[in-house]
Amino acid sequence: MMKKEYLRRDLRSIKPYQAGKYAYNLKLDANESPWPLPLEIRAQLASELLNGNDYQLYPDSDADRLRQALAEKLKVKPHNILIGNGSDELLHIVTTAFAGWGDKVLCPSPGFSMVLWYARLTGAIPVTYRLNEKLQYSAADIKLALEAHSPKILHICTPNNPTGSVLPVSDIYEIAMSFDGVVVVDEAYYEFYGESALSLVDKCPNLVVLRTFSKAMGMAGLRIGYLIGNQELTAEIYKVKPPYNVNSFSQRAAELLLAYPEIMEDRVSKTIRAREWLYNALVGLRGVEPYPSRANFILFRVKNGLAVFRGLLKKGILVRHFGNDPVLHNHLRITIGREEDNKFIIQSLAEVLADEEGWS
Ligand code: PMP
């Protein structure tokens, strides 16, 4: 008997998202923080857990305490903020809010693949604009793509995953003012860069900024992201937010983490130092072409991406490779870890390249 296909016709060719499952000693494939949640916070969470909590109740659907704490930190109002189960969920929510069946969603290429996926899930059509040959943004190319496609949503990711490149705030402003759709500025890696489009939220009624606790804040496992937009637009997006989307434990962990800014700042400066060291070391390796990065990772090109990926994995180092991607197939992305691991990484990479080229 013919198997009945229940899945929507337009979704049948989608492959389920698969996070790589490899054995490793150093996990440098997903831009996570190398440090655990600070002990003070774990101790506080554990004591709250033991001394009674309200886990039998639903979480605060609006995450009011966390929104309040974030609003104070960012100098905005709680009504400008929406908390998500990771910024991934917020990408899904904004796509659903602003793009419907057959609408176009314009995304950078190379870029964060989830934005294309969420566009497809909502029935929209993902279209892309190319970064230039150095994998840098070009505001002129974005404007041309806007004219060509008339999308409902424009995605800008700055610093961009996986390239590490950035688009100046002045360009984002100009683009947002001339565009009759919603601009989503994904600042997942903002803390490692320092420049933000947050100040545009007041001036551009069509712009939202997305941030996350998964990268610099080191809480990827607890899934907290946040969106900042002007009051009206944020209220519109709220209509799409699932109720109780963020669990109480994670809300509390994020709120506690905001009370320790010095720990986070120290970790970010260590990461930036390690990034600069690693970049210079990569430049010095024969057969490696790194791209300058303002995030907590570096993308680099080699002659045979898959062979180098496998060689590093044999030495216990897991990095990101990009399968058969037409632009990125010989590129690898490595997360910036602890400074003390950098020499081992470079030494290992040099050995893998030497084996590859038959230099040894
Ligand atoms: N945006 C970008 C650019 C990312 O790289 C990631 C994670 N890789 C996310 C959003 C999603 O992060 P999270 O859901 O953990 O907040």
Side-chain angles (χ1 to χ4, degrees), residues 30-31 85-89 91 112 114 157 159-161 186 188-189 211-215 220 223-225 297 333:
N31 308 334
N85 194 2
S87 52
D88 254 345
E89 185 190 44
L91 286 167
F112 182 45
M114 301 299 276
C157 182
N160 185 42
N161 177 12
D186 186 340
Y189 301 96
R211 297 224 188 129
T212 182
F213 276 72
S214 298
K215 309 298 179 183
R223 316 298 300 121
I224 297 270
F297 54 81
R333 190 194 65 201

Side-chain angles (χ1 to χ4, degrees), residues 115-154:
V115 290
L116 307 172
W117 194 58
Y118 289 132
R120 285 198 64 189
L121 291 192
T122 60
I125 303 164
V127 286
T128 58
Y129 58 94
R130 271 287 155 94
L131 303 195
N132 69 18
E133 71 287 350
K134 293 192 166 144
L135 301 186
Q136 298 293 316
Y137 278 105
S138 147
D141 287 350
I142 296 177
K143 285 184 198 154
L144 286 177
L146 286 173
E147 274 169 34
H149 295 293
S150 303
K152 291 282 169 126
I153 299 175
L154 166 66

